Amino acid sequence: MLKAEYAIIFYVLLIVLSLLVVRMLSKRYLKPVKYRKVKESISAYLYLLPSFVILGIFVFWPIFYSFYLSFFKWDFQNQGNPIFIGFQNYIELFKLNQPVNITFNEAFFNTLLIFMTAIFIIHLIFDLKKIKTPRQKYLIVCMSILGIISLLTINSIQYLNVVSALVLVVVYTILLSLHFADQMSNKIFLRIITFIGLWIAFYSLGVPEIIRFLSLAKEQSLFIKAIWNTTYYVLLSTPITILFALLIALLLNRKLYGKTFFRTVYFIPFVTSVVAISLVWQWIFNDNGLLNYILTQIGFSKTPWLKDQKFTIPTVAIISIWKMVGYYAIIFLAGLQNIDKAYYEAAEVDGATPFQKFQFITLPLLSPTTYFIIIVAMIGAFKVFDEIFILYVGMPGPYNNSGMTMVYYVYDMFYVQQRMGRASAAAYVLFGIILLFTILQMRSSRSRIHYES
């Protein structure tokens, strides 16, 4: 058998020989126009071949091989001969140490009932006058009665929630086919009412059962807790970072004295070492640090930022926001400077206010930049690790794994516990979650992105 280095050389020579054979055959049998296109393609791929080889050895091969090993028991004892165990690594990730007092099915369908009933009541209130046929009126009235009964019987009659939720989904699909949502004349007003209705459904009827299920399950599974903490961090840090970055970019885009200096100041945290940043913030968040000193001077008591588990994720989010806001502000600033000034001049002639110019010119034309930043910021937030590792001196939080994130879980499984198969499975679950959120973001933003051309 060939050794690894000889095998790589052999495959490279085989690819080059195949390309040369294709070139000779295309020169003889293809028409001149097609031959020219084939020749240009072959030349381009020959130039890219060294990059493909390097990427294949150091990027693609480890990715596929780690996915392959995620189906094996690959740890310190079985490092030389991994044992195939199928999906056992993935099952163990979500296995609970002890069962919680509520099943996932009950949690899911109870939450679905709250959501669907809130939406149905909104349609009942605002669409009943626009219903033209008695059949549609009968459907929506029956749906509302069914939703109210379902809400009253949550956790009281077994299996009724499941049946009611399925019936509600079917009825709502029928209503959507009748284009109830498209009959609204004021979409902004509908969005406000929908938001209020969902808010009431969440907090006046109680926290949805799926959240209660996850909050109980995360205490029985370390990986579920890592997903919970990572999601909490993403939802906390990403919107605030993007909002602050946009505000800073709008300020830096104005005619201000010394704005080049401020651009540099805002960008410095991004290029500074994460270790240095985390050590400085560790001193700031200390019991006798700068932040508590300022709080005591203005009349507040000291806060145990680094010792209380409820402050773990917010503390890391503050560091991340401070570090990344300048980088995204520079990208926003580049997008703002690419907007043609003629649009603003035309808006001023029409008497538009600054807010109207921001709403109807800046935001639509800045949507490609915003879309890019949302995707990059979300992916970066899911991979948070360095700040936690340095801030808590190699520990996932002060106690109770309050700072355990998905990347930290992969690190702990691979380097500390030497369970490489479990770590590979966790890494691909993280990849699937990021891929899912990215696809959803791409789908939802497709109709909202406006290109100037």
Side-chain angles (χ1 to χ4, degrees):
M1 294 180 63
L2 292 175
K3 294 183 179 180
E5 54 268 26
Y6 296 120
I8 294 173
I9 297 174
F10 172 77
Y11 286 127
V12 171
L13 293 177
L14 182 62
I15 293 173
V16 174
L17 182 62
S18 301
L19 292 175
L20 292 176
V21 172
V22 171
R23 179 180 179 181
M24 289 187 297
L25 293 176
S26 61
K27 184 177 180 180
R28 182 172 181 178
Y29 294 105
L30 295 180
K31 295 181 180 180
V33 178
K34 292 185 178 180
Y35 164 71
R36 183 178 179 181
K37 293 182 179 179
V38 173
K39 180 180 178 181
E40 292 176 352
S41 301
I42 292 175
S43 300
Y45 283 115
L46 285 176
Y47 280 113
L48 293 173
L49 184 61
S51 299
F52 287 153
V53 172
I54 294 174
L55 289 174
I57 295 174
F58 296 102
V59 178
F60 300 130
W61 168 248
I63 289 176
F64 291 115
Y65 189 63
S66 62
F67 178 72
Y68 169 75
L69 288 175
S70 68
F71 299 98
F72 286 79
K73 185 179 181 181
W74 184 40
D75 50 21
F76 184 77
Q77 297 179 349
N78 302 282
Q79 193 168 1
N81 52 347
I83 302 173
F84 179 77
I85 58 175
F87 289 94
Q88 191 62 33
N89 283 326
Y90 293 91
I91 296 173
E92 291 293 330
L93 291 176
F94 298 95
K95 186 177 180 180
L96 303 180
N97 297 329
Q98 295 179 355
V100 298
N101 59 357
I102 180 174
T103 64
F104 179 81
N105 289 335
E106 292 177 354
F108 174 78
F109 284 111
N110 286 343
T111 304
L112 185 63
L113 284 177
I114 295 175
F115 267 112
M116 301 300 286
T117 306
I119 297 175
F120 291 152
I121 292 175
I122 293 171
H123 282 296
L124 174 64
I125 296 173
F126 292 96
D127 286 349
L128 193 58
K129 295 180 180 180
K130 299 182 180 181
I131 296 177
K132 298 180 180 179
T133 63
R135 184 188 61 171
Q136 297 175 2
K137 184 178 295 186
Y138 176 76
L139 282 174
I140 197 168
V141 170
C142 291
M143 166 271 301
S144 302
I145 295 174
L146 180 61
I148 295 173
I149 294 175
S150 301
L151 283 176
L152 295 176
T153 57
I154 287 179
N155 294 326
S156 60
I157 301 178
Q158 192 177 13
Y159 303 118
L160 182 60
N161 331 357
V162 177
V163 176
S164 301
L166 292 176
V167 172
L168 285 173
V169 171
V170 173
V171 174
Y172 187 59
T173 305
I174 296 174
L175 293 176
L176 282 181
S177 66
L178 298 174
H179 303 288
F180 275 91
D182 294 335
Q183 294 178 2
M184 284 301 185
S185 58
N186 194 338
K187 293 184 179 180
I188 297 177
F189 183 68
L190 174 62
R191 292 172 185 172
I192 295 175
I193 297 299
T194 304
F195 175 78
I196 296 175
L198 293 178
W199 184 273
I200 294 174
F202 259 83
Y203 292 99
S204 66
L205 298 175
V207 179
E209 297 295 316
I210 191 67
I211 297 179
R212 188 164 73 90
F213 172 82
L214 292 176
S215 64
L216 296 173
K218 70 183 179 67
E219 302 300 331
Q220 303 299 330
S221 173
L222 187 60
F223 186 69
I224 294 179
K225 188 163 193 175
I227 297 176
W228 177 281
N229 291 337
T230 306
T231 306
Y232 176 31
Y233 171 80
V234 171
L235 296 178
L236 181 63
S237 64
T238 304
I240 298 176
T241 304
I242 295 174
L243 179 61
F244 282 175
L246 179 58
L247 293 176
I248 293 172
L250 291 172
L251 292 175
L252 294 178
N253 196 40
R254 300 173 66 88
K255 295 180 180 179
L256 298 175
Y257 179 77
K259 60 182 179 181
T260 304
F261 169 76
F262 289 105
R263 292 176 186 175
T264 306
V265 169
Y266 283 118
F267 193 72
I268 284 177
F270 178 73
V271 298
T272 308
S273 170
V274 178
V275 177
I277 289 174
S278 300
L279 289 175
V280 171
W281 280 97
Q282 188 182 51
W283 168 73
I284 293 175
F285 286 123
N286 202 290
D287 290 344
N288 297 319
L290 179 62
L291 185 57
N292 277 328
Y293 173 77
I294 295 174
L295 290 176
T296 54
Q297 292 299 315
I298 60 179
F300 293 95
S301 60
K302 291 184 178 181
T303 302
W305 298 100
L306 300 178
K307 295 181 180 179
D308 194 340
Q309 65 171 349
K310 67 181 179 181
F311 294 117
T312 302
I313 299 300
T315 299
V316 178
I318 291 173
I319 300 175
S320 177
I321 292 169
W322 178 83
K323 180 177 182 294
M324 300 301 300
V325 69
Y327 172 68
Y328 297 135
I330 296 299
I331 299 178
F332 268 128
L333 183 61
L336 289 172
Q337 293 178 348
N338 286 330
I339 299 177
D340 195 346
K341 304 298 181 183
Y343 295 112
Y344 296 102
E345 296 173 356
E348 289 179 0
V349 172
D350 293 336
T353 62
F355 180 76
Q356 289 175 334
K357 289 189 287 186
F358 174 77
Q359 181 181 2
F360 297 107
I361 298 177
T362 305
L363 282 182
L365 296 181
L366 199 63
S367 57
T369 306
T370 307
Y371 168 73
F372 168 77
I373 290 177
I374 290 175
I375 294 294
V376 173
M378 183 188 65
I379 294 175
F382 269 107
K383 298 189 298 182
V384 60
F385 170 77
D386 297 338
E387 293 86 350
I388 299 175
F389 188 82
I390 303 300
L391 193 63
Y392 293 97
V393 197
M395 299 294 294
Y399 60 92
N400 198 24
N401 294 306
S402 59
M404 177 64 70
T405 59
M406 298 184 71
V407 176
Y408 202 109
Y409 182 89
V410 174
Y411 162 80
D412 182 70
M413 283 291 150
F414 194 95
Y415 290 101
V416 179
Q417 301 188 29
Q418 297 288 311
R419 303 168 75 175
M420 288 78 80
R422 180 81 63 85
S424 299
Y428 277 94
V429 172
L430 173 61
F431 168 76
I433 293 174
I434 294 176
L435 180 63
L436 176 63
F437 274 92
T438 304
I439 292 175
L440 292 176
Q441 182 62 35
M442 292 175 62
R443 295 274 184 169
S444 61
S445 301
R446 183 176 300 174
S447 60
R448 297 181 176 90
I449 300 177
H450 304 277
Y451 294 95
E452 188 176 359
S453 58

